[in-house]
Amino acid sequence: MRFTSLAVLAVAPLLAAAVNITVQVGANGLSYTPSNFTANVGDIVNFVFYAKNHTVTQSSFAAPCTKFVNTTTNAVGIASGFVPVAANTTGPTWSIQIATTDPLWFYCGQTGHCGAGMVGAINAVESSTKNYAAFKAAAMATAGGSTSAAPGYGGGAGSPSTTGTGSASTPKPSNAASSLGAGGAAAALTAASLFAGLFL
Ligand SMILES: *[C@@H]1O[C@H](CO)[C@@H](O)[C@H](O)[C@H]1NC(C)=O
Ligand SMILES: *[C@@H]1O[C@H](CO)[C@@H](O)[C@H](O)[C@H]1NC(C)=O
Ligand SMILES: *[C@@H]1O[C@H](CO)[C@@H](O)[C@H](O)[C@H]1NC(C)=O
Ligand SMILES: *[C@@H]1O[C@H](CO)[C@@H](O)[C@H](O)[C@H]1NC(C)=O
Ligand SMILES: *[C@@H]1O[C@H](CO)[C@@H](O)[C@H](O)[C@H]1NC(C)=O
Ligand SMILES: [Cu+2]
């Protein structure tokens, strides 16, 4: 019994309390602020959208400006869809919950923004060749991010800035992170509730 108690005590400090992390989208030009940070499993990342018409779309290190799709499972990455926000105003918040500490790469799907360096990474490993600086450099080496205009899922009816309604055909997010909620349409609806709450 004593052993069991000690084991629990030894593990407990590893279970850091989940925290909220705020990322400003487009508050400082074509960039995320912060754009390169760590997060623990369970943490919530709140993306606050600023003026213009940006996205947060998951990609991969290999293809920084292309929407991530797992070719084995067909699961797609996280994607906010386009979020138009009027000049000098602050738009809605879109949230994800971190599900693993694997690196999560993302970019803005608006034409030209990824190629201008509007990318971000969560839990990129600095000592790896696949670090944030290398990712951003690769993004900026793409042809102006021109392959990136397609919105991720949620870009249409799921856009948080308009109706906020989830699409029934919303694909399941990859396991790197999840929109708040259980995934799939349920996640979209949960996100919709969050957005509705912010607007009303
Ligand atoms: C953390 O973010 C979630 C989702 O945006 C929000 O519901 C919650 O109130 C936030 N918690 C704190 C302590 O700010
Ligand atoms: C695709 O999904 C499978 C099954 O969940 C997983 O093992 C694999 O690592 C995923 N591939 C990528 C590139 O994330
Ligand atoms: C936001 O950008 C997308 C992609 O360029 C475009 O289809 C959409 O009409 C834009 N929304 C607004 C309100 O400008
Ligand atoms: C936004 O604010 C800037 C600086 O205060 C101002 O020059 C600009 O006219 C404003 N734009 C709009 C659309 O209100
Ligand atoms: C990215 O963040 C890591 C810490 O998480 C830091 O060591 C590294 O210098 C950052 N890289 C850039 C290019 O800002
Ligand atoms: Cu953008």
Side-chain angles (χ1 to χ4, degrees):
M1 294 307 285
R2 172 177 292 268
F3 178 80
T4 303
S5 303
L6 286 173
V8 169
L9 284 172
V11 168
L14 297 175
L15 303 173
V19 300
N20 280 8
I21 298 163
T22 299
V23 175
Q24 296 176 315
V25 181
N28 302 294
L30 299 184
S31 62
Y32 301 97
T33 309
S35 59
N36 168 40
F37 58 96
T38 59
N40 293 310
V41 171
D43 289 353
I44 291 171
V45 183
N46 289 315
F47 292 95
V48 182
F49 284 80
Y50 287 78
K52 295 195 191 297
N53 181 3
H54 302 292
T55 80
V56 174
T57 308
Q58 187 176 350
S59 60
S60 62
F61 184 86
C65 301
T66 302
K67 183 174 65 165
F68 174 79
V69 178
N70 183 315
T71 51
T72 305
T73 62
N74 289 327
V76 299
I78 61 159
S80 66
F82 287 102
V83 184
V85 177
N88 298 340
T89 66
T90 304
T93 296
W94 181 74
S95 304
I96 62 169
Q97 186 161 33
I98 300 301
T100 85
T101 53
D102 294 340
L104 193 161
W105 311 100
F106 59 91
Y107 70 103
C108 178
Q110 187 55 269
T111 304
H113 289 198
C114 185
M118 191 166 184
V119 295
I122 303 174
N123 294 325
V125 179
E126 183 62 16
S127 60
S128 164
T129 53
K130 296 183 178 180
N131 60 31
Y132 175 70
F135 177 67
K136 184 173 179 179
M140 296 181 78
T142 63
S146 60
T147 59
S148 64
Y153 78 82
S159 171
S161 60
T162 53
T163 63
T165 54
S167 160
S169 62
T170 298
K172 185 162 70 72
S174 74
N175 63 2
S178 61
S179 292
L180 287 176
L189 290 172
T190 302
S193 314
L194 283 172
F195 301 134
L198 286 162
F199 279 119
L200 293 175

